[in-house]
mmCIF file of all heavy atoms in Angstrom:
data_model
loop_
_atom_site.group_PDB
_atom_site.id
_atom_site.type_symbol
_atom_site.label_atom_id
_atom_site.label_comp_id
_atom_site.label_asym_id
_atom_site.label_seq_id
_atom_site.Cartn_x
_atom_site.Cartn_y
_atom_site.Cartn_z
ATOM 1 N N VAL M 287 -13.463 -1.730 23.817
ATOM 2 C CA VAL M 287 -12.776 -0.594 23.244
ATOM 3 C C VAL M 287 -13.596 -0.001 22.089
ATOM 4 O O VAL M 287 -13.826 1.219 22.028
ATOM 5 C CB VAL M 287 -11.376 -1.012 22.708
ATOM 6 C CG1 VAL M 287 -10.739 0.157 21.975
ATOM 7 C CG2 VAL M 287 -10.505 -1.523 23.844
ATOM 8 N N ALA M 288 -14.075 -0.853 21.199
ATOM 9 C CA ALA M 288 -14.815 -0.370 20.039
ATOM 10 C C ALA M 288 -15.609 -1.555 19.467
ATOM 11 O O ALA M 288 -15.232 -2.714 19.631
ATOM 12 C CB ALA M 288 -13.893 0.186 18.960
ATOM 13 N N SER M 289 -16.668 -1.222 18.742
ATOM 14 C CA SER M 289 -17.458 -2.240 18.078
ATOM 15 C C SER M 289 -17.824 -1.757 16.693
ATOM 16 O O SER M 289 -17.870 -0.550 16.422
ATOM 17 C CB SER M 289 -18.717 -2.606 18.870
ATOM 18 O OG SER M 289 -19.587 -1.496 18.918
ATOM 19 N N ILE M 290 -18.125 -2.715 15.817
ATOM 20 C CA ILE M 290 -18.539 -2.371 14.464
ATOM 21 C C ILE M 290 -19.620 -3.354 14.013
ATOM 22 O O ILE M 290 -19.465 -4.561 14.122
ATOM 23 C CB ILE M 290 -17.319 -2.359 13.492
ATOM 24 C CG1 ILE M 290 -17.779 -1.924 12.090
ATOM 25 C CG2 ILE M 290 -16.629 -3.747 13.451
ATOM 26 C CD1 ILE M 290 -16.612 -1.581 11.186
ATOM 27 N N ALA M 291 -20.699 -2.817 13.487
ATOM 28 C CA ALA M 291 -21.802 -3.638 12.988
ATOM 29 C C ALA M 291 -21.542 -4.077 11.551
ATOM 30 O O ALA M 291 -20.643 -3.527 10.880
ATOM 31 C CB ALA M 291 -23.102 -2.859 13.099
ATOM 32 N N VAL M 292 -22.303 -5.021 11.087
ATOM 33 C CA VAL M 292 -22.099 -5.534 9.734
ATOM 34 C C VAL M 292 -22.264 -4.434 8.707
ATOM 35 O O VAL M 292 -21.585 -4.471 7.657
ATOM 36 C CB VAL M 292 -23.053 -6.723 9.437
ATOM 37 C CG1 VAL M 292 -24.498 -6.247 9.415
ATOM 38 C CG2 VAL M 292 -22.642 -7.449 8.210
ATOM 39 N N GLY M 293 -23.076 -3.451 8.963
ATOM 40 C CA GLY M 293 -23.277 -2.340 8.047
ATOM 41 C C GLY M 293 -22.252 -1.252 8.155
ATOM 42 O O GLY M 293 -22.279 -0.254 7.419
ATOM 43 N N GLY M 294 -21.332 -1.394 9.135
ATOM 44 C CA GLY M 294 -20.266 -0.433 9.280
ATOM 45 C C GLY M 294 -20.457 0.604 10.385
ATOM 46 O O GLY M 294 -19.583 1.421 10.591
ATOM 47 N N VAL M 295 -21.565 0.551 11.076
ATOM 48 C CA VAL M 295 -21.798 1.505 12.163
ATOM 49 C C VAL M 295 -20.833 1.179 13.299
ATOM 50 O O VAL M 295 -20.716 0.027 13.742
ATOM 51 C CB VAL M 295 -23.263 1.417 12.658
ATOM 52 C CG1 VAL M 295 -23.446 2.339 13.864
ATOM 53 C CG2 VAL M 295 -24.192 1.812 11.536
ATOM 54 N N THR M 296 -20.157 2.207 13.796
ATOM 55 C CA THR M 296 -19.131 1.990 14.825
ATOM 56 C C THR M 296 -19.496 2.692 16.111
ATOM 57 O O THR M 296 -20.222 3.703 16.110
ATOM 58 C CB THR M 296 -17.764 2.529 14.351
ATOM 59 O OG1 THR M 296 -17.900 3.919 13.996
ATOM 60 C CG2 THR M 296 -17.289 1.744 13.132
ATOM 61 N N ASN M 297 -18.964 2.152 17.194
ATOM 62 C CA ASN M 297 -19.083 2.766 18.503
ATOM 63 C C ASN M 297 -17.763 2.659 19.227
ATOM 64 O O ASN M 297 -17.050 1.616 19.069
ATOM 65 C CB ASN M 297 -20.184 2.130 19.328
ATOM 66 C CG ASN M 297 -21.556 2.596 18.904
ATOM 67 O OD1 ASN M 297 -21.929 3.761 19.150
ATOM 68 N ND2 ASN M 297 -22.327 1.736 18.279
ATOM 69 N N TYR M 298 -17.412 3.668 20.025
ATOM 70 C CA TYR M 298 -16.117 3.709 20.690
ATOM 71 C C TYR M 298 -16.301 4.018 22.162
ATOM 72 O O TYR M 298 -17.169 4.811 22.556
ATOM 73 C CB TYR M 298 -15.216 4.739 20.054
ATOM 74 C CG TYR M 298 -14.857 4.474 18.639
ATOM 75 C CD1 TYR M 298 -15.630 4.996 17.610
ATOM 76 C CD2 TYR M 298 -13.785 3.667 18.305
ATOM 77 C CE1 TYR M 298 -15.348 4.717 16.268
ATOM 78 C CE2 TYR M 298 -13.481 3.402 16.972
ATOM 79 C CZ TYR M 298 -14.262 3.909 15.964
ATOM 80 O OH TYR M 298 -13.942 3.662 14.674
ATOM 81 N N ALA M 299 -15.428 3.433 22.964
ATOM 82 C CA ALA M 299 -15.377 3.872 24.386
ATOM 83 C C ALA M 299 -14.864 5.307 24.405
ATOM 84 O O ALA M 299 -14.059 5.714 23.561
ATOM 85 C CB ALA M 299 -14.454 2.951 25.153
ATOM 86 N N ASP M 300 -15.296 6.051 25.399
ATOM 87 C CA ASP M 300 -14.897 7.440 25.487
ATOM 88 C C ASP M 300 -13.365 7.627 25.527
ATOM 89 O O ASP M 300 -12.828 8.576 24.992
ATOM 90 C CB ASP M 300 -15.515 8.105 26.729
ATOM 91 C CG ASP M 300 -17.009 8.344 26.576
ATOM 92 O OD1 ASP M 300 -17.473 8.324 25.412
ATOM 93 O OD2 ASP M 300 -17.680 8.575 27.577
ATOM 94 N N PHE M 301 -12.677 6.675 26.131
ATOM 95 C CA PHE M 301 -11.249 6.826 26.337
ATOM 96 C C PHE M 301 -10.441 6.636 25.051
ATOM 97 O O PHE M 301 -9.242 6.824 25.049
ATOM 98 C CB PHE M 301 -10.724 5.929 27.450
ATOM 99 C CG PHE M 301 -11.130 4.483 27.349
ATOM 100 C CD1 PHE M 301 -10.454 3.643 26.476
ATOM 101 C CD2 PHE M 301 -12.143 3.967 28.112
ATOM 102 C CE1 PHE M 301 -10.810 2.299 26.365
ATOM 103 C CE2 PHE M 301 -12.521 2.623 28.019
ATOM 104 C CZ PHE M 301 -11.846 1.799 27.136
ATOM 105 N N VAL M 302 -11.087 6.222 23.940
ATOM 106 C CA VAL M 302 -10.336 6.073 22.670
ATOM 107 C C VAL M 302 -10.929 6.896 21.560
ATOM 108 O O VAL M 302 -10.405 6.910 20.455
ATOM 109 C CB VAL M 302 -10.265 4.585 22.226
ATOM 110 C CG1 VAL M 302 -9.625 3.751 23.310
ATOM 111 C CG2 VAL M 302 -11.644 4.059 21.853
ATOM 112 N N LYS M 303 -12.031 7.583 21.814
ATOM 113 C CA LYS M 303 -12.683 8.360 20.763
ATOM 114 C C LYS M 303 -11.695 9.393 20.187
ATOM 115 O O LYS M 303 -11.011 10.080 20.929
ATOM 116 C CB LYS M 303 -13.901 9.084 21.324
ATOM 117 C CG LYS M 303 -15.138 8.188 21.400
ATOM 118 C CD LYS M 303 -16.361 8.965 21.883
ATOM 119 C CE LYS M 303 -17.558 8.056 21.944
ATOM 120 N NZ LYS M 303 -18.754 8.763 22.512
ATOM 121 N N GLY M 304 -11.659 9.448 18.871
ATOM 122 C CA GLY M 304 -10.783 10.363 18.202
ATOM 123 C C GLY M 304 -9.359 9.851 17.993
ATOM 124 O O GLY M 304 -8.558 10.474 17.311
ATOM 125 N N ARG M 305 -9.030 8.726 18.614
ATOM 126 C CA ARG M 305 -7.673 8.166 18.510
ATOM 127 C C ARG M 305 -7.666 6.797 17.815
ATOM 128 O O ARG M 305 -6.738 6.464 17.077
ATOM 129 C CB ARG M 305 -7.042 8.001 19.872
ATOM 130 C CG ARG M 305 -6.910 9.316 20.648
ATOM 131 C CD ARG M 305 -6.087 9.120 21.918
ATOM 132 N NE ARG M 305 -6.713 8.179 22.857
ATOM 133 C CZ ARG M 305 -6.085 7.105 23.333
ATOM 134 N NH1 ARG M 305 -4.861 6.807 22.981
ATOM 135 N NH2 ARG M 305 -6.710 6.334 24.207
ATOM 136 N N PHE M 306 -8.694 6.001 18.047
ATOM 137 C CA PHE M 306 -8.757 4.637 17.478
ATOM 138 C C PHE M 306 -9.842 4.566 16.439
ATOM 139 O O PHE M 306 -10.863 5.243 16.523
ATOM 140 C CB PHE M 306 -9.098 3.618 18.581
ATOM 141 C CG PHE M 306 -8.017 3.404 19.618
ATOM 142 C CD1 PHE M 306 -6.897 4.179 19.686
ATOM 143 C CD2 PHE M 306 -8.135 2.340 20.505
ATOM 144 C CE1 PHE M 306 -5.915 3.969 20.655
ATOM 145 C CE2 PHE M 306 -7.159 2.099 21.459
ATOM 146 C CZ PHE M 306 -6.063 2.932 21.521
ATOM 147 N N THR M 307 -9.625 3.682 15.437
ATOM 148 C CA THR M 307 -10.602 3.456 14.376
ATOM 149 C C THR M 307 -10.770 1.966 14.172
ATOM 150 O O THR M 307 -9.766 1.252 13.903
ATOM 151 C CB THR M 307 -10.204 4.126 13.081
ATOM 152 O OG1 THR M 307 -10.030 5.542 13.310
ATOM 153 C CG2 THR M 307 -11.272 3.934 12.011
ATOM 154 N N ILE M 308 -11.982 1.481 14.274
ATOM 155 C CA ILE M 308 -12.277 0.079 14.013
ATOM 156 C C ILE M 308 -12.821 -0.068 12.589
ATOM 157 O O ILE M 308 -13.574 0.821 12.123
ATOM 158 C CB ILE M 308 -13.254 -0.494 15.056
ATOM 159 C CG1 ILE M 308 -13.418 -2.010 14.898
ATOM 160 C CG2 ILE M 308 -14.590 0.188 14.981
ATOM 161 C CD1 ILE M 308 -14.238 -2.661 16.021
ATOM 162 N N SER M 309 -12.460 -1.151 11.931
ATOM 163 C CA SER M 309 -12.949 -1.380 10.574
ATOM 164 C C SER M 309 -13.050 -2.898 10.352
ATOM 165 O O SER M 309 -12.473 -3.658 11.103
ATOM 166 C CB SER M 309 -12.079 -0.731 9.521
ATOM 167 O OG SER M 309 -10.756 -1.252 9.567
ATOM 168 N N ARG M 310 -13.758 -3.297 9.346
ATOM 169 C CA ARG M 310 -13.900 -4.706 9.030
ATOM 170 C C ARG M 310 -13.856 -4.900 7.529
ATOM 171 O O ARG M 310 -14.359 -4.073 6.779
ATOM 172 C CB ARG M 310 -15.170 -5.294 9.652
ATOM 173 C CG ARG M 310 -16.465 -4.738 9.077
ATOM 174 C CD ARG M 310 -17.658 -5.161 9.937
ATOM 175 N NE ARG M 310 -17.966 -6.591 9.774
ATOM 176 C CZ ARG M 310 -18.813 -7.241 10.602
ATOM 177 N NH1 ARG M 310 -19.403 -6.605 11.576
ATOM 178 N NH2 ARG M 310 -19.107 -8.529 10.397
ATOM 179 N N ASP M 311 -13.260 -6.037 7.128
ATOM 180 C CA ASP M 311 -13.213 -6.421 5.723
ATOM 181 C C ASP M 311 -13.846 -7.815 5.677
ATOM 182 O O ASP M 311 -13.164 -8.810 5.941
ATOM 183 C CB ASP M 311 -11.766 -6.449 5.217
ATOM 184 C CG ASP M 311 -11.694 -6.711 3.744
ATOM 185 O OD1 ASP M 311 -12.634 -7.339 3.168
ATOM 186 O OD2 ASP M 311 -10.697 -6.287 3.105
ATOM 187 N N ASN M 312 -15.129 -7.873 5.347
ATOM 188 C CA ASN M 312 -15.841 -9.165 5.351
ATOM 189 C C ASN M 312 -15.259 -10.108 4.284
ATOM 190 O O ASN M 312 -15.291 -11.321 4.478
ATOM 191 C CB ASN M 312 -17.311 -8.924 5.122
ATOM 192 C CG ASN M 312 -17.995 -8.284 6.305
ATOM 193 O OD1 ASN M 312 -17.514 -8.327 7.422
ATOM 194 N ND2 ASN M 312 -19.129 -7.636 6.059
ATOM 195 N N ALA M 313 -14.741 -9.595 3.231
ATOM 196 C CA ALA M 313 -14.175 -10.443 2.180
ATOM 197 C C ALA M 313 -12.934 -11.171 2.663
ATOM 198 O O ALA M 313 -12.631 -12.275 2.234
ATOM 199 C CB ALA M 313 -13.849 -9.617 0.928
ATOM 200 N N LYS M 314 -12.186 -10.504 3.601
ATOM 201 C CA LYS M 314 -10.980 -11.096 4.149
ATOM 202 C C LYS M 314 -11.240 -11.708 5.547
ATOM 203 O O LYS M 314 -10.308 -12.184 6.180
ATOM 204 C CB LYS M 314 -9.878 -10.070 4.255
ATOM 205 C CG LYS M 314 -9.406 -9.549 2.896
ATOM 206 C CD LYS M 314 -8.265 -8.555 3.072
ATOM 207 C CE LYS M 314 -7.748 -8.075 1.724
ATOM 208 N NZ LYS M 314 -6.630 -7.102 1.860
ATOM 209 N N ASN M 315 -12.481 -11.643 5.994
ATOM 210 C CA ASN M 315 -12.830 -12.165 7.332
ATOM 211 C C ASN M 315 -11.907 -11.594 8.395
ATOM 212 O O ASN M 315 -11.380 -12.327 9.283
ATOM 213 C CB ASN M 315 -12.754 -13.689 7.344
ATOM 214 C CG ASN M 315 -13.775 -14.302 6.399
ATOM 215 O OD1 ASN M 315 -14.905 -13.841 6.290
ATOM 216 N ND2 ASN M 315 -13.364 -15.345 5.692
#
């Protein structure tokens, strides 16, 4: 569906682009 790199770069499948957002909080794992 989506991926996120350690630096925050994101990629999305076409079927969710504009609707879904992936994020990460390394401090909270």
Side-chain angles (χ1 to χ4, degrees):
V287 175
S289 66
I290 184 166
V292 67
V295 176
T296 57
N297 281 290
Y298 297 91
D300 287 344
F301 51 79
V302 302
K303 279 183 180 177
R305 301 188 298 126
F306 291 11
T307 302
I308 188 172
S309 61
R310 65 192 289 169
D311 186 335
N312 290 339
K314 295 183 178 179
N315 297 321

